[in-house]
Amino acid sequence: MKLPFAEEYRIKMVEPIRKSTKEERLKWIKEAKYNLFNLKSEHVYIDLLTDSGTGAMSDKQWAEMMLGDESYAGSSSYYKMKKAINEITGFEYFLPTHQGRAAENVLFSATVKEGDIVPGNSHFDTTKGHIEIRKAHAIDCTIDEAFNTSIKHDFKGNVDLEKLEKVLKTNDISKIPFIIVTVTCNTAGGQPVSMKNLKEVKELADKYGVKVIFDSARFAENAYFIKMREEGYADKTIREIVREMFSYADGMTMSSKKDAIVNIGGFIATRHKKMFDEAAVFNILYEGYLTYGGLAGRDMNALAQGLYEATEFSYLENRIGQVAYLGKKLVEYGVPVQQPFGGHAIFVDALKFLPNVKREEFPAQTLAVEVYTEAGVRGVEIGAILADRDPVTHENRYPELELLRLALPRRTYTYNHIDYIAAALKNVYDRREEITKGLKITHEAPVLRHFTVELDRV
Ligand code: P61
């Protein structure tokens, strides 16, 4: 018999989690104003809100925590992180930051001005937020296939080169500080970008003299997909693929809470001394001195170790395999999900799942509330609430996709948990016809409103 897949780790420490009753959950979600961010985590049984900073560190990462050098300047932890980043990405210069959006804030403070244009592939919400708050514009150039959840395409995160060239051709190039490519593309459903596409984007950018930045939160997962799906990469190691990917970028922002498997951390890295020098000013202003940038020495140590672990094939095979297992179960149950499955999450197509709930009543948020009350499983809306209002017209923006994201923390839940999650979705799906009313907003913030939005049942 062929031996089945099994994890290349065992569990040395456990954290108890508690189930609750449906009555309790109905009360808690009402008190939370139907915003799942407002729930206490102890009121959640399985937490799929995000894979950001929620993973399990390894024994080696915990050991590194003890070796952290907490010197204000020039700590060995800084040099350990610098070495890991250089070996893995090839970038010579780097700045630590406390998380991904801090890296965006620092880099964009140095590069993005009012009236600028930043093309990319479905910018992540914090990225877009940091562009728009500077009165600049994020232009989405993702391929059209990304917006249809049932079309199969190996690299739905790809940039549409025609759309990109149109932006480059029709705008004043001095107003385009860089192109940002998100690998994998979270907003499009954790979808990868092919090596061919990364290379072509870089060639096009070079033709127009524009820089390319990778939003690299899930760069290792992207490399795994390239290895598994793209011709010519099957025999290359993840590290070789990662090095080639970054060879097509001028720099990167990183949320280390994803593919460096730490609970907090981020960085900027670049091959250009000038970009480093300009960003360094803002790093000191907003984050901290150049050799710690908002992180403790121990955090930098764990982060460096995490970068090595996240770029091991067996880790990625297990990680992405678990996500795919959830996806397959849901497909088996008839639940409409984004395909192919993403690297870090399964994205449920709420417009197809709840056709009786009007768009203005936020079907994905409604579905998130239903799944939570059904089973204590917390997902997150990636739809009209997250999309915020248009900064000029102040109208609600309705993105092409209205999704419920079920993000799996790294190395955290077992296959039994996954079966439970799938059953929860199936139960809601079986009674989908009865769900006809959604939610209305009663209070919202001007930007990134989904974190604090308050809602009520229609
Ligand atoms: C997430 F509800 N992602 O997916 P920071 N780029 C990319 C990300 O995925 C990302 C950041 C930059 C999160 C956390 C999160 O509205 C939300 O370290 C591709 O979180 O600052 C973060 O990195 C920013 C969840 C962020 C949200 C914003 O769950």
Side-chain angles (χ1 to χ4, degrees):
M1 177 181 190
K2 184 175 179 283
L3 292 172
F5 173 82
E7 293 82 357
E8 284 189 52
Y9 62 78
R10 57 185 176 183
I11 297 165
K12 182 141 55 178
M13 191 187 282
V14 293
E15 176 185 0
I17 47 177
R18 187 182 155 262
K19 287 187 184 164
S20 51
T21 65
K22 196 161 187 171
E23 288 65 41
E24 285 176 315
R25 292 192 293 271
L26 281 166
K27 178 172 157 280
W28 293 331
I29 194 69
K30 185 163 188 256
E31 285 167 3
K33 310 261 199 271
Y34 302 96
N35 177 347
L36 291 95
F37 284 95
N38 285 338
L39 288 170
K40 287 185 180 168
S41 66
E42 66 197 47
H43 294 164
V44 176
Y45 173 51
I46 299 180
D47 205 347
L48 309 182
L49 185 72
T50 178
D51 63 324
S52 181
T54 52
M57 291 209 296
S58 69
D59 53 354
K60 286 212 176 75
Q61 284 179 291
W62 281 107
E64 284 295 336
M65 295 287 277
M66 295 304 291
L67 298 173
D69 174 354
E70 307 302 343
S71 306
Y72 193 94
S75 71
S76 65
S77 300
Y78 167 80
Y79 287 103
K80 203 174 258 182
M81 186 165 157
K82 185 175 169 73
K83 181 165 176 278
I85 291 170
N86 180 255
E87 281 176 9
I88 284 168
T89 68
F91 292 130
E92 186 179 345
Y93 303 100
F94 104 97
L95 290 164
T97 63
H98 80 273
Q99 62 183 79
R101 71 198 71 184
E104 290 164 358
N105 187 33
V106 167
L107 183 65
F108 297 5
S109 291
T111 51
V112 179
K113 310 268 172 314
E114 183 171 341
D116 280 358
I117 288 164
V118 183
N121 56 340
S122 301
H123 310 61
F124 187 65
D125 61 1
T126 57
T127 318
K128 201 175 185 161
H130 276 294
I131 292 168
E132 292 182 346
I133 209 153
R134 292 176 168 81
K135 298 198 165 62
H137 309 280
I139 300 188
D140 187 1
C141 299
T142 317
I143 56 168
D144 290 333
E145 287 87 338
F147 305 109
N148 184 331
T149 55
S150 42
I151 291 183
K152 296 237 167 96
H153 186 293
D154 279 344
F155 294 98
K156 279 189 172 176
N158 277 0
V159 176
D160 184 321
L161 298 164
E162 274 176 34
K163 288 186 198 171
L164 177 63
E165 181 146 32
K166 196 167 158 226
V167 175
L168 298 176
K169 213 184 243 169
T170 55
N171 287 286
D172 175 358
I173 282 293
S174 71
K175 295 235 166 272
I176 306 181
F178 51 81
I179 298 160
I180 191 153
V181 186
T182 306
V183 290
T184 57
C185 185
N186 191 359
T187 309
Q191 298 293 319
V193 182
S194 72
M195 192 72 89
K196 180 167 178 285
N197 193 250
L198 292 175
K199 187 163 182 235
E200 287 169 345
V201 168
K202 180 68 176 142
E203 283 165 2
L204 198 57
D206 285 347
K207 184 172 141 193
Y208 287 88
V210 176
K211 290 202 164 49
V212 177
I213 300 293
F214 288 174
D215 174 349
S216 316
R218 300 178 183 84
F219 73 95
E221 291 172 9
N222 200 86
Y224 175 86
F225 285 119
I226 289 174
K227 182 175 169 77
M228 303 311 281
R229 295 181 186 168
E230 192 163 348
E231 217 188 302
Y233 290 92
D235 297 328
K236 295 215 187 313
T237 65
I238 296 294
R239 298 245 173 96
E240 286 167 340
I241 295 170
V242 166
R243 277 301 279 260
E244 185 182 340
M245 280 168 56
F246 285 114
S247 75
Y248 304 127
D250 293 283
M252 65 187 282
T253 53
M254 176 74 187
S255 169
S256 305
K257 302 168 77 171
K258 285 81 167 177
D259 278 356
I261 331 180
V262 285
N263 303 119
I264 195 75
F267 60 88
I268 297 165
T270 174
R271 64 180 81 262
H272 303 294
K273 172 93 168 52
K274 187 166 175 282
M275 189 184 277
F276 168 82
D277 285 341
E278 286 168 2
V281 176
F282 293 96
N283 216 60
I284 292 177
L285 206 55
Y286 297 144
E287 293 294 298
Y289 181 60
L290 302 178
T291 65
Y292 74 88
L295 293 175
R298 52 181 169 273
D299 294 332
M300 293 193 278
N301 271 16
L303 196 165
Q305 174 63 23
L307 285 173
Y308 292 115
E309 291 178 16
T311 48
E312 276 168 18
F313 180 74
S314 75
Y315 156 76
L316 287 163
E317 186 183 31
N318 178 43
R319 156 94 180 132
I320 293 172
Q322 200 183 44
V323 174
Y325 176 82
L326 173 59
K328 276 186 219 130
K329 281 246 133 167
L330 293 178
V331 169
E332 225 175 274
Y333 296 150
V335 175
V337 300
Q338 162 83 293
Q339 294 202 53
F341 310 131
H344 66 295
I346 294 299
F347 292 72
V348 182
D349 188 331
L351 296 179
K352 289 188 183 148
F353 195 118
L354 293 181
N356 299 333
V357 176
K358 293 194 202 98
R359 269 234 76 185
E360 307 79 70
E361 295 179 11
F362 308 112
Q365 183 71 14
T366 305
L367 181 56
V369 168
E370 288 296 334
V371 172
Y372 170 71
T373 41
E374 176 67 30
V377 173
R378 170 160 73 170
V380 77
E381 188 246 29
I382 308 270
I385 298 180
L386 182 76
D388 273 336
R389 289 177 189 273
D390 184 284
V392 180
T393 67
H394 299 289
E395 292 297 322
N396 273 321
R397 288 192 280 210
Y398 293 101
E400 294 199 44
L401 294 178
E402 179 77 18
L403 304 165
L404 167 65
R405 186 183 76 173
L406 307 169
L408 290 185
R410 293 165 180 78
R411 308 190 285 212
T412 302
Y413 291 113
T414 68
Y415 278 76
N416 287 334
H417 290 123
I418 307 288
D419 288 340
Y420 179 99
I421 298 160
L425 268 288
K426 180 181 187 303
N427 289 351
V428 179
Y429 194 59
D430 288 348
R431 57 178 173 80
R432 65 190 180 280
E433 294 298 332
E434 299 156 28
I435 305 168
T436 54
K437 291 210 183 314
L439 299 160
K440 57 173 189 249
I441 293 180
T442 56
H443 173 79
E444 66 184 278
V447 66
L448 296 178
R449 63 178 176 179
H450 62 290
F451 284 120
T452 51
V453 71
E454 294 179 2
L455 302 132
D456 203 353
R457 293 194 193 268
V458 169

